[in-house]
Amino acid sequence: MDKAQIIQDTIFFVKKTLKNAEGGHDWFHIERVYKNALLIAKQEEVNHFIVALGALLHDIADSKFHNGNETVGPKVAQQFLQSLNVETTVINHVIKIIENISFKGGNLTQKFKSLELDVVQDADRLDALGAIGIARTFNYGGFKNRAIYNPDIKPDLNMSKEAYKASTAPTLNHFYEKLLLLKDRMNTKTGKDLAENRHSYMQEFLNQFYEEWNGKM
Ligand code: ADP
Ligand code: NI
């Protein structure tokens, strides 16, 4: 099977698998990440096939939606790519991308590094920022029945991976615990440039939010 056909089959598989996904982790999230990953990849010396497959499969079974189990996504991706007879070296690299892409509180050292992971991770992080980032975050908070904001519950920047995953804090806290930290963690030049603008937009949103909350607008 040629690479274009493998990509087409993967798109079909991902759309089908994520049919009932939460709105921030659905096919359209994958499509945005895929497009941004290809855009960033143009400026980098990377294997575009691995970037494409990594982007398309990165949230195929996110642990957040599988009782915290981080092995489902890599397993599902592996079985699917094996069914298409994709080369083992490509499959292994895609699995490493899926295993290492996530933020998880940001206090862990990432075990695997590659330029392809850098690109897909930047594309995924961009989708956590800006107007779309804001929309996705409140959608997830609503999905989890979280408060929008509670001034008495302060953000916690020193959470372990377990505490981060178990957190039920108000959605506004997620801006401080993750979203506003991403700008300085972008891997590529293109990723950094795109993140700047989205970051300022979120800061503006937060300023307006507090002004409205405090009755100043
Ligand atoms: P992780 O934070 O583990 O890397 P994701 O990258 O899948 O998880 O997060 C994707 C998006 O899901 C976030 O950018 C955010 O919009 C939403 N999200 C995840 N965790 C939370 C949370 N605790 N509160 C609000 N939104 C969240
Ligand atoms: Ni994602």
Side-chain angles (χ1 to χ4, degrees), residues 24-25 29-30 33 58-59 62 101 124 136:
H25 291 84
H29 163 62
I30 306 302
V33 172
H58 83 276
D59 274 336
D62 189 316
I101 192 169
D124 192 33
R136 290 180 71 218

Side-chain angles (χ1 to χ4, degrees), residues 106-196:
N107 295 320
L108 289 180
T109 31
Q110 195 175 295
K111 287 193 210 88
F112 171 82
K113 286 199 190 318
S114 77
L115 278 179
E116 286 77 8
L117 169 59
D118 283 351
V119 169
V120 181
Q121 192 171 51
D122 274 8
D124 192 33
R125 286 176 172 174
L126 282 174
D127 211 51
L129 304 179
I132 289 186
I134 295 169
R136 290 180 71 218
T137 301
F138 284 103
N139 197 73
Y140 185 81
F143 179 79
K144 290 284 197 180
N145 198 25
R146 307 256 168 88
I148 292 172
Y149 175 51
N150 181 342
D152 297 333
I153 304 176
K154 302 291 177 212
D156 180 356
L157 290 170
N158 292 307
M159 279 188 279
S160 65
K161 173 181 160 187
E162 288 68 32
Y164 177 78
K165 286 171 90 172
S167 167
T168 57
T171 301
L172 247 268
N173 292 19
H174 196 64
F175 285 80
Y176 302 94
E177 289 164 354
K178 174 182 174 186
L179 309 183
L180 293 171
L181 307 178
L182 293 177
K183 172 177 75 73
D184 295 328
R185 294 174 185 226
M186 301 301 285
N187 304 305
T188 66
K189 165 91 174 63
T190 319
K192 281 188 184 115
D193 290 348
L194 294 168
E196 282 297 335

Side-chain angles (χ1 to χ4, degrees), residues 17 46 70-71 93 158 188 199 202:
T17 308
V46 287
E70 291 172 15
T71 65
H93 198 151
N158 292 307
T188 66
H199 180 89
M202 289 194 303

